[in-house]
Amino acid sequence: MNPVVIAVAITGSVPRKKDNPAVPITPSEQIESTHEAYEAGASLVHIHVRNDDESASSDPERFAAVQAGIVKYCPGMIVQFSTGGRGRDPGQRGSSLYLKPDMASLSTGSVNFPTIVYENHAVLVRDLAGKMCDNGIRPEIEIFDLSHLHGARRLVEAGLMDDHPHVQFVMGVENALPADEHLLDLLLGELRRILPKATWTAAGIGRFQAQVMQWALQRKADAVRTGLEDNIRVTKERLARNNAELVEIAVDMIMRHGRRVATCDEARAILSLSNKKWGAA
Ligand code: ZN
């Protein structure tokens, strides 16, 4: 019955209100949606912020507002900022790390996305990793390609990261890694070979969300990931009511695999955050 962390990616930079009105955009909507997800069992929230016109934002004030609301209303929940690039100026992607969220996402290489090249120059990767290191932020390494695992290992060798980072395999992004069970085994095999102490999770994008979660649970993942950033539907016909509904689906799946949902304290221990003050700013 070892516990599983549920990570909820509440907003992202692509799904819009017009696609699903439940996608939270303003800080107050984001705090409310996170609170619902927290009550449903999520112990980690992955945050992108948006401008009023719904475009991706790097505004530290917005990050600070969402962070403060989560610390207040969701005690213990792990706050993770995105440093992802879609629609953001590369120079601004680390501009909110001084706020010292518990974690931040870190992509360690470039990859093709549906309509853009998601560019992560080696200099930018090292710069973001250095800022995380300086601010005591644990990175979640985003793996869109096998070479990105080696990018992570180079950061460990450079002393910019400890040897047990949290790693997320992202599958099902058009033009990047397909959602394929065999590929997950291949990635996991390489992770265990080069970063054997790492914790891990996998995210399935769009219609692959539940399938990838199932593969991850079958392989004893430390965490699962869900949320409207990755997928806005419950079925092909029906939109998700909110982030909490997607968390409830994850809870069911975790139980069906004979495991249980991690509390926030357990999530912090699993991800080596237990000694850090809750959401300390
Ligand atoms: Zn994200």
Side-chain angles (χ1 to χ4, degrees):
M1 286 287 277
N2 55 333
V4 185
V5 178
I6 299 181
V8 62
I10 53 169
T11 299
S13 49
V14 175
R16 308 277 171 144
K17 286 250 185 236
K18 70 174 171 47
D19 301 320
N20 182 338
V23 175
I25 302 293
T26 66
S28 59
E29 287 171 351
Q30 291 186 301
I31 294 162
E32 190 184 341
S33 188
T34 304
H35 185 250
E36 291 165 352
Y38 170 83
E39 298 271 287
S43 50
L44 188 161
V45 58
H46 170 83
I47 300 164
H48 293 247
V49 294
R50 302 284 191 92
N51 298 307
D52 291 334
D53 65 0
E54 299 193 13
S55 60
S57 169
S58 292
D59 183 359
E61 279 185 29
R62 292 227 162 193
F63 274 107
V66 180
Q67 180 184 31
I70 292 167
V71 169
K72 182 171 177 190
Y73 295 108
C74 310
M77 192 175 206
I78 297 167
V79 175
Q80 181 187 91
F81 287 177
S82 169
T83 65
R86 263 177 293 204
R88 293 169 74 181
D89 171 357
Q92 295 301 308
R93 285 167 50 184
S95 64
S96 292
L97 295 176
Y98 76 92
L99 294 166
K100 302 187 195 304
D102 299 293
M103 298 182 80
S105 61
L106 176 63
S107 296
T108 51
S110 302
V111 65
N112 285 338
F113 270 3
T115 57
I116 59 159
V117 177
Y118 180 27
E119 211 174 299
N120 291 292
H121 193 286
V123 174
L124 173 68
V125 173
R126 277 198 298 273
D127 176 60
L128 288 171
K131 284 197 171 88
M132 291 180 201
C133 205
D134 293 346
N135 286 289
I137 299 167
R138 281 194 72 71
E140 174 181 282
I141 308 298
E142 307 301 328
I143 303 295
F144 294 92
D145 187 81
L146 189 128
S147 64
H148 299 173
L149 278 174
H150 288 268
R153 188 184 48 86
R154 283 193 291 275
L155 294 177
V156 174
E157 286 168 357
L160 290 166
M161 204 165 73
D162 64 34
D163 66 352
H164 53 287
H166 185 53
V167 167
Q168 172 160 264
F169 302 113
V170 187
M171 313 190 91
V173 176
E174 190 186 335
N175 301 327
L177 280 173
D180 179 317
E181 193 170 12
H182 164 77
L183 285 180
L184 180 58
D185 282 328
L186 197 146
L187 292 162
L188 207 45
E190 189 65 355
L191 177 69
R192 286 177 176 143
R193 192 175 75 85
I194 65 172
L195 291 168
K197 295 180 187 165
T199 52
W200 71 278
T201 183
I205 304 305
R207 64 197 167 90
F208 303 109
Q209 187 168 63
Q211 178 66 83
V212 170
M213 191 181 292
Q214 193 180 336
W215 295 336
L217 286 167
Q218 285 165 351
R219 287 160 180 77
K220 304 193 176 357
D222 300 285
V224 294
R225 157 135 158 180
T226 191
L228 293 168
E229 169 170 352
D230 299 349
N231 166 44
I232 57 173
R233 296 180 178 280
V234 171
T235 62
K236 202 173 160 203
E237 292 76 29
R238 186 166 82 73
L239 294 173
R241 275 194 301 278
N242 48 29
N243 277 298
E245 185 177 24
L246 294 173
V247 171
E248 286 162 13
I249 292 169
V251 170
D252 277 352
M253 202 178 287
I254 287 168
M255 313 272 257
R256 271 191 275 123
H257 282 80
R259 295 179 68 184
R260 64 180 175 81
V261 177
T263 63
C264 291
D265 279 348
E266 288 170 336
R268 284 174 179 272
I270 292 164
L271 301 178
S272 304
L273 286 159
S274 35
N275 295 327
K276 200 162 177 274
K277 230 172 80 190
W278 288 353

